Amino acid sequence: MAFVGASRALSAQTKARTVGAARLGLVGLYTGTLLLAALLLFGIQPMFTKRVLPILGGSPAVWSVAMVVFQGLLLAGYAYAHVLTCWLNARAAFATHVLVLLAGFVFLPVSIAAGFGAPPAEAEVPWLIGLFLASIGLPFFALSASAPLLQAWFSRSGDARSADPYFLYRASNAGSFAALIAYPLLVEPWLGLDAQGWLWSAGYALLTCAVVACGIRLDNRPAAQAVVTGVESVLVGPRRRLAWIGLSAVPSGLLVAATAHISTDVAAIPLIWVVPLALYLVSFILAFRPTRDGRSALAHILGSLQVAGAGFVFVGIFLKAPFVLDLAVTLGLLLVNAVIAHRAVYALRPPAARLTEFYLCTSLGGMLGGVFVALIAPRIFSGLYEYPLLVACALACRPGLAAGGPARLVAGLRGGLLLMVGAVGLAGLAAAMQGLAIGLAVLLIGLTLGLVASWRAPARAAFLGAGAGLTCILLQVVTTGEGGQHRSFFGLHRIQDSPDGRFRLLSHGTTIHGAMRLRANDGTPFTGPPEPATYYIPGGPLADVFTVSRRASGSIPAVSVVGLGAGSLACYAKPGEAWTFYEIDPAVIRIARDPRLFRFLSDCAPDARIVQGDARLTLAHDGEKVRVLVIDAFSSDAIPMHLLTAEALDVDLARLDVQGVLALHISNRHFELRHVLARLAAERGLSLLHRADPETEPVERRWRAPSRVALLSRDPAVIREAQALGWHGVTPDLSRRPWTDDYANVLEAMHDRWRIDEKNALP
């Protein structure tokens, strides 16, 4: 009997281990499949957007519109998953989804769909949306449905964890995060776009097999209905659905706005795109997990950081912060706001039976937030007001406020009124201050009040910040004339007079794109011909380009300039020369042509031809040879990378005559591009020279900005004349891989810049 009992015990233990292993295998299968789906879903986003970017001039808005397309396809995938789950049994849903996955193979390997030529002027958004849908729409749609479908299937598996399958959502976001980090650090530096496309296609085929494996183990049983701690078993009504949508819309809108803000001042490249998106995904990993008490010390700390960061943004409407500080606050605030809002969403999650409906509503909110920032805000706002507006809205996305009802909101508003008035006063004082030290002192006081208020009274702090933010936005709208700001698909351009009234400035982001003198130093009106300023000053590197060409070969028959700005370079034109400007932004063309704003074109080159469109496309179709070609197409402090590849250089060189000079304006704070261009020049038998002006005085003193320019030519006379004016040759590093449309290593260029900055900082 003892032997029989021992045998039964051993058999029971073996069976338990077998069941445990089976359950572990089931969880591992679903987790691995979701990880792979997320890797593919978020790997294709930067990969395909990078492929499209050159067609639209490298504009940061390309990624904003791309995000809307991705969010729209995600919403469609979630809706499709919801329909399959509600209307079909598990086996029929599985068969349908496999067919959809197989249909996606028609779009592989990933490439730009046929029939899409140059985008139409001032209709870039619908054209770009159509391009994304026609090129990757179906595969992305099929992948989007994987997360809710697989979670719904797992809830029917009978596994011990099937009643609360939301843990799989964290696994999915972990895969998304890994894909985003791996792309700029591992994939982009080593693989070209074509190789990436084939690798992605292989991953898509593997995912299809994994989904089939999940379906084979699928049961037709109903979703688990066990009570799970932390899940509210209440009827899901319109109010609950609106909360899911609204709480998801705010962080999604902040994601798009923050990414556009950073891209404008660095570059529209995957490295910049993926960092905010990765932080956004991390917020899901941190938020979608059970906790013992939502009112923990961590929640208070996050609330304090949220109010402090919001105060920085609102005061920053009037005071421009250094880029590094602005970048840190922008990314940190995005993460904090997203964690708080997504934590509120998680607190309102339904039981597993309503899982697909829950994800459908959160996806709808995400898409609405992106649509507002990328498509609606540029139409209704003359300035970039959507970002501080969303920061203000984020303060009301805390779990307590979201679920407290109207009475809680009214109480918070009444209690926070005094602090709100104080914050508005601080913002107004900051607006009136011109000194940086005083402004920073005011900022520190505001942030300290925000920290204290957030810790002691979270509801009051939320309304304090929201009220202060909305008031600051209103003050900015009132104090900024509508005629002083021009917004387009390619960015926001501000026209304003300098504080002393001597110059009129055209700026985009952090960069002054032109300055025209209005008054002499003694304050009297300036009536002479316009004088180029900022990067275009007489005797500067860009002015040298025309001097070098004239000394080497006499008069210049034809000049082409990529990038118009205020039209400053037009004042280097001489009688008999044919000048052509290539400009992608119609708003810039209107500004430069208006003599009431800037007189460079009207006074110096009234007959200059202006071609609207992306320079890569328009130059390639213009067969006229020119003596001088200047590439001056940066936006804010960002360099358009698609104009620095082998294919772009070949287009430029094809336009030059035998004595031609190609000059590239490469001034920026983040990338060292001399070695990139020297490597490309060496392959084509060209000499590359470089000149960089030192920064000897504040720009505001005479509105003269130091610049860096690279000059390429085959003509020995051009090289001699440039060297006589202080230009230096750059030795190419042949060990580097040349940049192409298929491959560009921006990390290498950033590292070169850091080394130069470190060397210059040494005593």
Side-chain angles (χ1 to χ4, degrees):
M1 294 295 293
F3 175 76
V4 173
S7 298
R8 289 177 178 176
L10 182 61
S11 177
Q13 293 175 3
T14 303
K15 183 177 180 180
R17 283 196 294 267
T18 302
V19 172
R23 289 179 175 175
L24 180 62
L26 186 67
V27 172
L29 174 61
Y30 274 86
T31 301
T33 304
L34 280 169
L35 280 169
L36 179 58
L39 282 167
L40 294 171
L41 193 66
F42 283 84
I44 198 174
Q45 294 185 25
M47 177 180 70
F48 189 74
T49 307
K50 180 184 177 183
R51 187 181 287 274
V52 173
L53 194 63
I55 304 175
L56 284 153
S59 169
V62 173
W63 178 252
S64 298
V65 175
M67 285 296 297
V68 172
V69 175
F70 297 143
Q71 290 167 335
L73 289 171
L74 191 69
L75 173 63
Y78 281 18
Y80 156 77
H82 181 60
V83 169
L84 289 187
T85 304
C86 295
W87 291 4
L88 300 178
N89 62 47
R91 293 294 184 187
F94 162 65
T96 303
H97 189 54
V98 170
L99 290 176
V100 172
L101 284 168
L102 292 175
F105 280 89
V106 176
F107 290 75
L108 304 182
V110 176
S111 62
I112 293 177
F116 284 84
E122 302 196 63
E124 298 89 355
V125 171
W127 182 91
L128 186 58
I129 292 174
L131 174 62
F132 272 91
L133 293 178
S135 302
I136 61 170
L138 187 55
F140 196 95
F141 166 80
L143 288 171
S144 299
S146 299
L149 266 182
L150 288 170
Q151 290 180 66
W153 294 352
F154 183 78
S155 70
R156 291 164 168 80
S157 67
D159 186 86
R161 304 183 66 181
S162 62
D164 188 16
Y166 293 97
F167 75 93
L168 290 173
Y169 194 56
R170 298 203 309 273
S172 176
N173 282 285
S176 304
F177 177 80
L180 292 173
I181 295 301
Y183 187 83
L185 299 180
L186 299 176
V187 178
E188 189 182 23
W190 295 102
L191 295 176
L193 286 173
D194 290 338
Q196 293 173 31
W198 283 106
L199 179 63
W200 193 91
S201 301
Y204 185 86
L206 180 61
L207 173 75
T208 303
C209 296
V211 170
V212 171
C214 291
I216 292 175
R217 304 185 64 176
L218 185 61
D219 290 328
N220 268 318
R221 72 179 71 192
Q225 296 292 333
V227 177
V228 179
T229 303
V231 178
E232 298 186 29
S233 299
V234 298
L235 292 176
V236 176
R239 179 179 167 186
R240 178 62 60 96
R241 295 187 183 96
L242 287 174
W244 294 341
I245 294 171
L247 290 170
S248 301
V250 173
S252 174
L254 281 172
L255 166 65
V256 178
T259 307
H261 171 63
I262 298 170
S263 298
T264 299
D265 290 330
V266 183
I269 54 176
L271 178 65
I272 302 302
W273 299 332
V274 303
V275 173
L277 185 53
L279 292 175
Y280 178 78
L281 294 174
V282 167
S283 72
F284 282 107
I285 300 173
L286 297 176
F288 275 57
R289 58 184 180 86
T291 56
R292 295 180 180 177
D293 185 3
R295 297 169 294 179
S296 62
L298 178 60
H300 284 299
I301 292 173
L302 289 176
S304 301
L305 293 174
Q306 183 187 43
V307 173
F312 180 91
V313 171
F314 301 148
V315 176
I317 291 176
F318 306 100
L319 297 175
K320 298 299 181 184
F323 174 76
V324 175
L325 179 60
D326 186 23
L327 176 65
V329 173
T330 299
L331 295 177
L333 188 59
L334 171 63
L335 177 60
V336 168
N337 281 328
V339 169
I340 290 174
H342 291 150
R343 188 65 191 167
V345 173
Y346 181 75
L348 299 175
R349 71 195 187 282
R354 311 296 292 268
L355 179 144
T356 55
E357 180 184 3
F358 170 72
Y359 284 129
L360 177 61
C361 289
T362 58
S363 177
L364 175 60
M367 189 196 73
L368 291 177
V371 166
F372 170 72
V373 174
L375 305 184
I376 298 176
R379 298 288 183 180
I380 64 176
F381 295 147
S382 63
L384 299 174
Y385 305 130
E386 61 270 19
Y387 179 58
L389 180 62
L390 285 167
V391 169
C393 292
L395 292 165
C397 290
R398 301 186 181 187
L401 293 177
R408 179 74 175 273
L409 296 178
V410 172
L413 178 61
R414 183 178 63 250
L417 182 61
L418 182 60
L419 289 175
M420 186 190 305
V421 172
V424 172
L426 287 175
L429 180 60
M433 298 298 178
Q434 297 297 325
L436 178 61
I438 299 178
L440 289 175
V442 172
L443 174 61
L444 289 174
I445 294 173
L447 296 185
T448 302
L449 286 178
L451 286 167
V452 174
S454 179
W455 188 270
R456 300 293 299 172
R460 296 181 183 182
F463 284 97
L464 152 71
L470 294 174
T471 304
C472 288
I473 296 169
L474 179 61
L475 287 173
Q476 177 73 352
V477 172
V478 171
T479 57
T480 301
E482 288 293 322
Q485 297 190 148
H486 300 258
R487 192 169 184 177
S488 71
F489 177 82
F490 301 95
L492 175 68
H493 309 281
R494 293 186 178 89
I495 302 171
Q496 57 190 8
D497 293 347
S498 60
D500 58 12
R502 292 184 301 143
F503 287 85
R504 174 161 296 146
L505 312 174
L506 172 63
S507 62
H508 179 199
T510 59
T511 299
I512 304 296
H513 281 250
M516 185 183 73
R517 182 178 284 277
L518 300 176
R519 295 183 177 277
N521 292 336
D522 60 3
T524 59
F526 182 79
T527 57
E531 299 176 353
T534 63
Y535 300 111
Y536 313 102
I537 56 173
L542 286 168
D544 270 3
V545 172
F546 304 102
T547 302
V548 165
S549 180
R550 292 185 179 112
R551 288 184 180 181
S553 57
S555 61
I556 303 175
V559 175
S560 290
V561 180
V562 175
L564 178 59
S568 303
L569 283 178
C571 288
Y572 290 104
K574 291 187 177 296
E577 297 177 351
W579 278 61
T580 301
F581 288 90
Y582 296 86
E583 173 59 52
I584 194 171
D585 193 340
V588 171
I589 295 175
R590 289 192 292 268
I591 292 170
R593 277 179 166 166
D594 190 344
R596 296 171 299 176
L597 300 176
F598 295 97
R599 295 186 291 112
F600 297 116
L601 278 179
S602 60
D603 287 15
C604 299
D607 299 326
R609 185 169 64 113
I610 299 179
V611 179
Q612 196 271 325
D614 179 67
R616 282 278 298 268
L617 302 176
T618 51
L619 279 173
H621 289 88
D622 198 338
E624 178 188 358
K625 295 288 186 178
V626 300
R627 180 65 50 81
V628 175
L629 174 57
V630 179
I631 309 297
D632 181 30
F634 56 82
S635 299
S636 185
D637 204 44
I639 295 293
M641 298 298 177
H642 72 292
L643 296 179
L644 300 171
T645 64
E647 293 85 351
L649 189 60
D650 289 338
V651 171
D652 298 339
L653 295 177
R655 292 294 315 284
L656 294 176
D657 62 22
V658 293
Q659 297 171 308
V661 177
L662 173 62
L664 297 100
H665 187 188
I666 55 175
S667 301
N668 75 101
R669 294 176 295 176
H670 311 292
F671 303 98
E672 176 52 58
L673 301 169
R674 285 180 297 173
H675 302 296
V676 174
L677 293 171
R679 181 67 180 87
L680 293 173
E683 287 193 332
R684 289 155 181 79
L686 294 168
S687 298
L688 184 139
L689 296 97
H690 175 263
R691 179 183 164 189
D693 272 358
E695 186 172 354
T696 58
E697 63 181 8
V699 174
E700 295 80 4
R701 180 173 299 175
R702 292 185 295 170
W703 293 104
R704 297 190 173 193
S707 61
R708 297 195 297 275
V709 178
L711 185 150
L712 296 87
S713 179
R714 290 191 179 94
D715 188 352
V718 170
I719 305 302
R720 287 195 302 270
E721 294 297 337
Q723 290 173 335
L725 290 177
W727 291 68
H728 303 283
V730 179
T731 303
D733 182 357
L734 300 180
S735 65
R736 296 185 177 220
R737 183 175 174 182
W739 282 18
T740 65
D741 288 349
D742 191 60
Y743 169 85
N745 190 346
V746 295
L747 290 177
E748 192 174 51
M750 293 183 73
H751 181 258
D752 289 342
R753 182 66 184 172
W754 293 338
R755 287 194 304 176
I756 291 176
D757 290 342
E758 183 179 356
K759 181 179 179 181
N760 292 338
L762 294 176

